[in-house]
Amino acid sequence: MTTRTTGIPTVRRPKRPVFELSRAPQLALGLGVIAFFLIFFVWPLLDVVLRSVSVDGIVDWSAFAFTWDNYVAIAQDEFLHLVEWRTVVLAVNSTVIAFALGFPTAYFISRLPKRAAGLVLLAILIPFQVSIVVRLFAVTSILSPNGLLSRASQSLGGEQFSLLYTQAGTLVGTVMYLLPYMILILYAGMSGVDHNVLLAAKTLGASGTQTFVKVFLPLIRTSILSAALLCFILALSFFIVPAILGGPQEQTVAVYIQQQIDLFQWGIASALGVVLLVATLFLYIAVIRFGGGFTAPGLGSVQAKGVSAEQRFSWGPSTIVTGILSAVSLVVLILPVLIVFPLSVGETKTVVFPPRGFTMQWYGEVLTTSTWLSPTLRSVLVALLTGIVATALALYLARVVQTAKSERTKVFLSGVAFAPLITPTILLAIGIYAVELKLDLDGTIPGLVLAHTLIAFPLAFAMLNTALSSRGLDLETAAWTMGASRTAAFWKVTARGILPAILGAFGLAFVTSWDEVVLALFLQTGPVKTLPVTIYQYLESGIVPTVPAIAALLTILVVLVILIQRLAQRRSRAQLSSAGKE
């Protein structure tokens, strides 16, 4: 409708009723998200807390018996003190080593030209997205008495040795797992630094060391603290790595909790879980207080940016040292991925290095027997459903965060979204297991999907929240002021514009579910397990030659998926660039 009060046509925004029908779906989505968090996050944590202060770890509302005995036992048990100390030492040492390798690697990548930086990032992302149980199988082959390191020692005149079931072996596996998180979070922070600021500092007379210490480091303080916090929390609550690489003498808190659950000692297990949670919250608050925020690892969105024209790459003392350390990091990450290929074609029925003979028999067994096909199909189904649900929830909450007017509301909602990420996985596992027992969801695919959604959701949210923040809401606002419904404006303008990020968030949630072991180990009670749990059980009971074959196939699949994703992103950027020129 137009009016000509001044001779100039103006467009009036059509009036909308106070209550819109589109509000009903929005309200339903909001209630659904709240219900999901209450049932699968708040309730499990509350259940664990109540079990920790109840007699025999049983929550009976008809006759609840309160006690501090479980916490007293933790404080007085000398063996538990040893387990706790060993866990803290592992977490500190692995975080320090990961930082010692990850910081120079991230810095070196941030100084490389764009194409070279992209290749190095690809070399880091491939092993990172390969299943942890696949990489742990490779590490066991490297550290065993007949493994790569022992063979290399013997060829140089040394003795046969083994690092399996030792503190050193557990440390190696933990660093291997943490290193990609450390590198990618630090690189994201470093690549966001404006090099003109560094150039201005040097122009004003600051030396290279002064510029690095007084300008560069403060600018990436949040990334440093976030990377260190996340790695420390992951190491503090590790289960899968110590369970495979550590022996009885290297038991950690997470492994001890799992053993207590197997013995139905819910009280002491829950109390230890609460102690882990309190320590995690304390560290998280400290990072928020001193770091100014928390940077979540939106790994799928990491892009190679390269150095600026004013800061061209050149070899010098700093780049030589960081380049050498970067090579060490790449060896640590890539070697466990590459070694599965020769191990998968050996003729012997036991896995040995170097492999003896050549055969493709084990690949045939993987592709034709139900031992591997059933778990694979189950994992694909669970990962697909998890990817869909987690991406939908993440998109909705990211939208709510971006449209919130209060900064405190945005901070609160982001904190809620990241809460499952910083909560010890073993604590979530025992809490969700107890809740799903009450809801008759244990051992079911829906139960596993909902549990996986909880841990896959934060990373998808980080990616989509960043995409929505960078795009803004101006175009969407313009669309609905011109008459389009809010729903149509969002899907046709905003969602279409961040489609690569949506697909990336789905892929990240898919991979998170596909690789998850701890929750699946607790929640699956039937004969058919997910693929990572099946491989984990073989690593516990004894490795058969089909394990390296399935490991090699999974590695090839990851490489193909990453390459396809990169090609799709490149094509999308090219289309956007050509559209902008037109």
Side-chain angles (χ1 to χ4, degrees):
M1 178 185 298
T2 61
T3 60
R4 298 182 179 274
T5 55
T6 61
I8 301 176
T10 59
V11 178
R12 287 184 180 176
R13 179 183 165 191
K15 293 183 178 180
R16 297 181 180 275
V18 176
F19 175 81
E20 297 182 85
L21 293 179
S22 60
R23 297 292 184 185
Q26 292 178 15
L27 180 60
L29 282 172
L31 292 176
V33 172
I34 293 173
F36 172 77
F37 269 92
L38 289 177
I39 295 173
F40 292 98
F41 185 67
V42 177
W43 186 6
L45 294 185
L46 179 61
D47 185 87
V48 172
V49 172
L50 292 176
R51 286 177 181 272
S52 71
V53 293
S54 62
V55 176
D56 297 328
I58 299 174
V59 180
D60 184 1
W61 291 110
S62 62
F64 185 80
F66 182 89
T67 180
W68 290 106
D69 290 348
N70 295 316
Y71 291 97
V72 172
I74 293 176
Q76 295 179 347
D77 193 323
E78 294 185 359
F79 176 73
L80 273 180
H81 292 170
L82 180 61
V83 171
E84 292 161 0
W85 174 249
R86 187 183 297 128
T87 303
V88 173
V89 169
L90 174 64
V92 171
N93 289 342
S94 57
T95 301
V96 169
I97 295 175
F99 182 80
L101 291 175
F103 187 91
T105 302
Y107 183 79
F108 181 74
I109 299 173
S110 70
R111 307 305 304 153
L112 287 175
K114 183 175 181 179
R115 180 169 297 181
L119 291 175
V120 178
L121 284 175
L122 186 63
I124 293 171
L125 286 173
I126 288 175
F128 175 71
Q129 295 192 5
V130 171
S131 175
I132 179 60
V133 289
V134 169
R135 289 180 284 158
L136 283 179
F137 154 70
V139 172
T140 59
S141 302
I142 294 173
L143 303 181
S144 67
N146 295 318
L148 179 61
L149 290 182
S150 181
R151 293 286 186 180
S153 173
Q154 294 177 63
S155 65
L156 296 175
E159 298 181 355
Q160 185 184 53
F161 68 93
S162 173
L163 293 179
L164 281 181
Y165 315 126
T166 66
Q167 185 176 10
T170 306
L171 184 61
V172 169
T174 306
V175 171
M176 176 203 67
Y177 181 78
L178 298 178
L179 191 54
Y181 285 100
M182 183 69 73
I183 294 173
L184 294 172
I185 294 177
L186 290 176
Y187 172 76
M190 293 178 183
S191 61
V193 173
D194 187 353
H195 288 283
N196 291 323
V197 176
L198 306 181
L199 184 62
K202 293 181 179 179
T203 303
L204 292 173
S207 64
T209 302
Q210 290 175 326
T211 301
F212 180 80
V213 173
K214 295 184 178 182
V215 180
F216 184 74
L217 288 181
L219 290 174
I220 62 170
R221 179 180 61 180
T222 299
S223 296
I224 292 175
L225 293 176
S226 298
L229 169 68
L230 182 62
C231 289
F232 185 82
I233 290 174
L234 290 174
L236 197 65
S237 59
F238 254 152
F239 170 76
I240 184 69
V241 174
I244 296 298
L245 299 180
Q249 302 301 320
E250 302 301 328
Q251 197 175 52
T252 61
V253 168
V255 176
Y256 184 84
I257 289 175
Q258 187 265 342
Q259 292 175 348
Q260 295 305 304
I261 294 297
D262 288 343
L263 298 173
F264 300 101
Q265 299 296 320
W266 280 89
I268 192 70
S270 299
L272 276 172
V274 171
V275 171
L276 277 180
L277 179 62
V278 171
T280 299
L281 289 176
F282 176 80
L283 292 171
Y284 180 71
I285 293 172
V287 167
I288 296 295
R289 174 65 179 83
F290 297 105
F294 174 72
T295 302
L299 304 173
S301 61
V302 174
Q303 300 292 336
K305 295 185 178 181
V307 294
S308 63
E310 296 81 6
Q311 300 283 329
R312 292 187 179 277
F313 177 82
S314 62
W315 288 104
S318 63
T319 49
I320 291 175
V321 173
T322 55
I324 294 173
L325 293 174
S326 298
V328 174
S329 297
L330 290 176
V331 169
V332 171
L333 294 175
I334 295 176
L335 183 59
V337 174
L338 295 180
I339 199 173
V340 300
F341 291 97
L343 293 176
S344 66
V345 295
E347 291 182 341
T348 59
K349 293 187 177 181
T350 57
V351 179
V352 295
F353 187 89
R356 299 169 188 171
F358 180 87
T359 181
M360 298 295 289
Q361 173 186 352
W362 316 122
Y363 286 93
E365 289 192 14
V366 167
L367 297 174
T368 57
T369 61
S370 60
T371 303
W372 295 105
L373 287 178
S374 296
T376 301
L377 293 176
R378 187 180 183 91
S379 289
V380 169
L381 176 60
V382 171
L384 281 173
L385 294 175
T386 299
I388 294 171
V389 177
T391 304
L393 290 177
L395 182 60
Y396 172 78
L397 191 58
R399 165 73 176 177
V400 172
V401 169
Q402 292 304 315
T403 55
K405 296 180 180 180
S406 170
E407 190 64 29
R408 289 186 177 181
T409 302
K410 293 183 178 182
V411 172
F412 172 76
L413 292 176
S414 298
V416 171
F418 294 142
L421 184 66
I422 64 171
T423 302
T425 306
I426 191 68
L427 180 62
L428 290 176
I430 62 176
I432 295 176
Y433 174 62
V435 169
E436 292 200 354
L437 279 176
K438 298 174 183 177
L439 299 176
D440 291 329
L441 287 174
D442 60 302
T444 66
I445 288 180
L448 191 56
V449 168
L450 292 169
H452 280 185
T453 297
L454 184 68
I455 62 172
F457 167 82
L459 297 181
F461 168 80
M463 183 180 298
L464 293 176
N465 191 47
T466 301
L468 286 176
S469 177
S470 61
R471 182 174 179 82
L473 301 176
D474 292 342
L475 292 177
E476 181 183 336
T477 303
W480 66 260
T481 53
M482 295 298 292
S485 68
R486 291 178 182 265
T487 302
F490 172 74
W491 287 111
K492 293 183 179 181
V493 178
T494 302
R496 183 176 295 178
I498 62 167
L499 184 60
I502 294 175
L503 296 176
F506 171 82
L508 195 55
F510 181 96
V511 170
T512 301
S513 172
W514 174 268
D515 189 32
E516 205 285 320
V517 180
V518 180
L519 290 176
L521 192 63
F522 274 82
L523 299 178
Q524 293 184 100
T525 56
V528 179
K529 313 292 185 182
T530 59
L531 187 58
V533 173
T534 303
I535 298 175
Y536 169 78
Q537 292 175 335
Y538 274 109
L539 292 180
E540 275 194 321
S541 59
I543 300 174
V544 294
T546 49
V547 171
I550 189 68
L553 290 174
L554 291 177
T555 302
I556 293 173
L557 178 63
V558 167
V559 172
L560 291 176
V561 169
I562 291 178
L563 291 178
I564 292 173
Q565 184 181 21
R566 288 303 177 93
L567 290 175
Q569 290 176 348
R570 182 178 299 178
R571 182 178 179 181
S572 176
R573 287 194 296 268
Q575 290 176 346
L576 290 174
S577 177
S578 61
K581 292 179 180 178
E582 293 176 359

